[in-house]
Amino acid sequence: MSQGARSPIRMLSSVIALTLAVGSCVVVSVDDHQALAQASPALPIDMPSSVTSHASAKKVFAHYFTPFVISLDNKAAAADYYSTGYLAASGEGGAHASSGGFIRQRPLPRPVSSSPTWALEDMETDVLRAAAAGIDGFTVDLLALCGYNWDRVKLLITAAHAVDPGFRIVLMPDVTAGVASDPQALAAAVAGLASDPTVYHLADGRLVISPFDAEGRSAGWWQSWMSTMQSQYGVSVAFVPTFLDFGYAAAFAPFSYGFSIWGDRSPNSIGWSAVAAASAHALGKIWMQPVAVQDERPTQGIYTEADNTETLRGSWDIANGQHAEWVQMLTWNDYSEGTEFSPSSHTGWSPLDISAYYIAKFKLGAAPPIVRDVVYVSHRIQPAAALPTGGQSVLMNLRAGSNPARDQVEVLAFLINPATIVVHVGAASYQFGAPAGQSSFDVPLGAGVVSASISYPNGATLNVTSPNPVVARPAVQDLQYYFASSARDGSTAGTLPTAVVAAAAGSVAVAVPPIPAWVRS
């Protein structure tokens, strides 16, 4: 089923890396960046080549959630299951009427495909997009050991193998989904994937396993399971538990390679992960830092105040400041929690594009040079306290420990030289002097269209206009942040790689399995 002949990544020219070997690690200096870079016109920087990025000892993974693939049924966007089942308040027989819909946005729609392997090709697109941003692989959530979610795990492995030989899949058994109820079944299923070269192994051959909610099973349970993997299947495990409660780390330390936490999504609370990182290092373990954009869960009636991109930028700062060995971006595509980095209908490409800068910084050890001006705007499409007009009864409340709700438009600028930025929010205008490099400015949220612009001495302009105006009262409450980028024509529209996706008039009818009833905490 390999579709490697279509892969743009495979057709990238070879790059002779200027690297400095330090022990067993490979470190790339910022001075070498231009020699290693590949043109990235939608970004403020030129990204290190795929080969160079994967060669770094620093690893970045994104959490992949199999229920929310790019297309569920290969139908036109207006009539597919995302639109009719998940986004609409009337979807799935009215099951989500009280919350105004199951989710608030979707993966960027693509044309209907005539290919019989469209599901595989969609996953190839996910891998291509992630790898182009410098991501080394996906931590894939194992929700089941059979059925459609399991089949998608295997399909994702096939996709990664096809389009990027350096991209890796980290297996993440999800304890909350029940896959750890039978240790023998879990061992057999994991062992069946372990021999695939795309599944992530350390240099010493150990298979990396990073269970979600690891403390849902005792330390003794996991030790016994690892012994089964070794004795029955000859598979040695490098155990990197992802905790909901880091207080369990000491009990897991004797047999763990590293630690991670699911973490928080608000600027005031993410700092706790720095304490956990220091504790992990003190125990002699690697640290996988959680990095997130935001969190909004309509069906649960909760959200976390991310303060525009402050949570995102702060999470990356902790990864660098605490010398994290790995990063886990949470999440690539869990739309039920509103945490997605994947290019999407309202957030667009911006969270991923902004992270590409930080990924390069994380791997290079210093900020990469800015080679083109890019301005991002982020904002909600309603005041945080505005009530919906469409009959929604389950309303959003801040999670405990969150920053207070705020109503701000943020302008995040990456500039070669200092410039004056003019921001328009409805009828109000603001002006800032932005320095060279990266800077951010906040202005009050207001009703109307949000835009920002730079005028250059030669008469040229750089503009970004959000395609989503702010309203005083929304039909459906939506407390996620929307984004727009000056390098993506100011809209959330995106174009898939032409070598991967083919447009067609017809559609393939596919049954859409239900989303699991459980919801993670």
Side-chain angles (χ1 to χ4, degrees):
M1 295 179 66
S2 174
Q3 307 296 317
R6 295 193 303 275
S7 170
I9 287 181
R10 281 191 170 181
M11 294 185 284
L12 288 174
S13 61
S14 298
V15 177
I16 300 176
L18 302 177
T19 59
L20 173 65
V22 180
S24 61
C25 299
V26 177
V27 179
V28 181
S29 72
V30 177
D31 291 341
D32 296 332
H33 178 75
Q34 295 300 337
L36 302 172
Q38 56 191 31
S40 308
L43 303 177
I45 63 172
D46 285 338
M47 290 295 293
S49 74
S50 177
V51 172
T52 301
S53 183
H54 291 328
S56 172
K58 300 278 191 176
K59 298 299 178 186
V60 177
F61 304 103
H63 182 87
Y64 196 95
F65 195 56
T66 52
F68 295 112
V69 290
I70 287 175
S71 177
L72 295 167
D73 48 20
N74 196 35
K75 293 182 178 180
D80 71 359
Y81 206 81
Y82 276 115
S83 291
T84 62
Y86 291 161
L87 290 166
S90 59
E92 298 196 301
H96 312 299
S98 61
S99 58
F102 181 46
I103 59 178
R104 290 295 184 262
Q105 68 167 342
R106 57 170 300 153
L108 283 181
R110 59 154 173 80
V112 175
S113 174
S114 61
S115 171
T117 58
W118 57 267
L120 173 62
E121 291 162 18
D122 283 349
M123 288 190 173
E124 290 178 350
T125 296
D126 276 329
V127 173
L128 285 168
R129 288 171 169 173
I135 294 171
D136 294 293
F138 288 136
T139 51
V140 62
D141 199 314
L142 303 186
L143 293 165
L145 304 180
C146 61
Y148 75 99
N149 277 315
W150 181 251
D151 292 341
R152 286 174 180 170
V153 170
K154 294 188 289 185
L155 201 63
L156 185 63
I157 292 171
T158 300
H161 180 76
V163 302
D164 184 353
F167 200 84
R168 294 291 177 262
I169 303 300
V170 177
L171 303 179
M172 177 171 271
D174 195 321
V175 176
T176 63
V179 297
S181 58
D182 183 340
Q184 291 290 338
L186 179 60
V190 168
L193 303 177
S195 62
D196 194 294
T198 301
V199 175
Y200 189 45
H201 295 73
L202 300 181
D204 62 11
R206 283 182 290 169
L207 173 70
V208 176
I209 298 293
S210 181
F212 172 81
D213 186 27
E215 67 268 36
R217 290 291 178 266
S218 69
W221 191 98
W222 286 112
Q223 285 180 294
S224 177
W225 181 82
M226 291 169 63
S227 295
T228 299
M229 291 293 295
Q230 180 66 65
S231 62
Q232 294 190 19
Y233 301 101
V235 176
S236 298
V237 170
F239 198 66
V240 185
T242 296
F243 298 114
L244 296 181
D245 181 353
F246 190 72
Y248 288 86
F252 282 69
F255 60 95
S256 294
Y257 176 71
F259 293 135
S260 187
I261 56 173
W262 197 245
D264 295 306
R265 308 287 182 262
S266 202
N268 285 352
S269 57
I270 60 172
W272 194 87
S273 66
V275 178
S279 298
H281 287 151
L283 290 167
K285 311 302 175 184
I286 71 157
W287 176 248
M288 182 162 67
Q289 171 67 25
V291 168
V293 185
Q294 56 186 335
D295 192 313
E296 178 201 38
R297 310 182 188 190
T299 57
Q300 292 179 267
I302 56 175
Y303 76 105
T304 306
E305 179 53 71
D307 285 356
N308 300 79
T309 69
E310 287 187 24
T311 291
L312 176 60
R313 291 182 284 122
S315 300
W316 279 112
D317 287 344
I318 292 170
N320 284 302
Q322 293 298 319
H323 307 289
E325 288 79 9
W326 298 353
V327 160
Q328 183 175 202
M329 297 169 64
L330 303 170
T331 63
W332 180 256
N333 61 339
D334 189 349
Y335 291 85
S336 64
E337 295 187 355
T339 55
E340 51 276 357
F341 280 90
S342 177
S344 303
S345 54
H346 295 153
T347 53
W349 290 79
S350 295
L352 185 61
D353 287 351
I354 294 167
S355 288
Y357 169 85
Y358 284 98
I359 292 170
K361 181 178 179 180
F362 178 68
K363 293 191 173 191
L364 294 168
I370 294 172
V371 298
R372 60 187 63 84
D373 291 351
V374 180
V375 175
Y376 302 92
V377 294
S378 60
H379 62 91
R380 291 199 175 99
I381 59 168
Q382 62 159 90
L387 298 178
T389 61
Q392 175 184 345
S393 59
V394 175
L395 300 179
M396 305 291 284
N397 294 285
L398 282 170
R399 295 193 74 159
S402 170
N403 281 31
R406 78 171 188 180
D407 296 325
Q408 297 284 316
V409 173
E410 180 192 87
V411 178
L412 180 63
F414 294 83
L415 303 178
I416 300 172
N417 298 303
T420 298
I421 300 179
V422 177
V423 184
H424 297 284
V425 182
S429 296
Y430 309 88
Q431 183 171 296
F432 298 98
Q438 178 195 337
S439 61
S440 65
F441 305 92
D442 296 331
V443 301
L445 185 73
V449 174
V450 174
S451 66
S453 64
I454 298 174
S455 297
Y456 296 98
N458 65 358
T461 60
L462 179 72
N463 303 291
V464 55
T465 299
S466 171
N468 299 287
V470 181
V471 298
R473 292 283 303 276
V476 175
Q477 192 181 37
D478 188 356
L479 296 181
Q480 70 180 320
Y481 282 101
Y482 286 50
F483 289 79
S485 164
S486 64
R488 298 269 187 190
D489 74 15
S491 76
T492 55
T495 302
L496 302 186
T498 56
V500 175
V501 178
S507 65
V508 179
V510 176
V512 180
I515 292 291
W518 57 270
V519 180
R520 293 180 302 203
S521 60

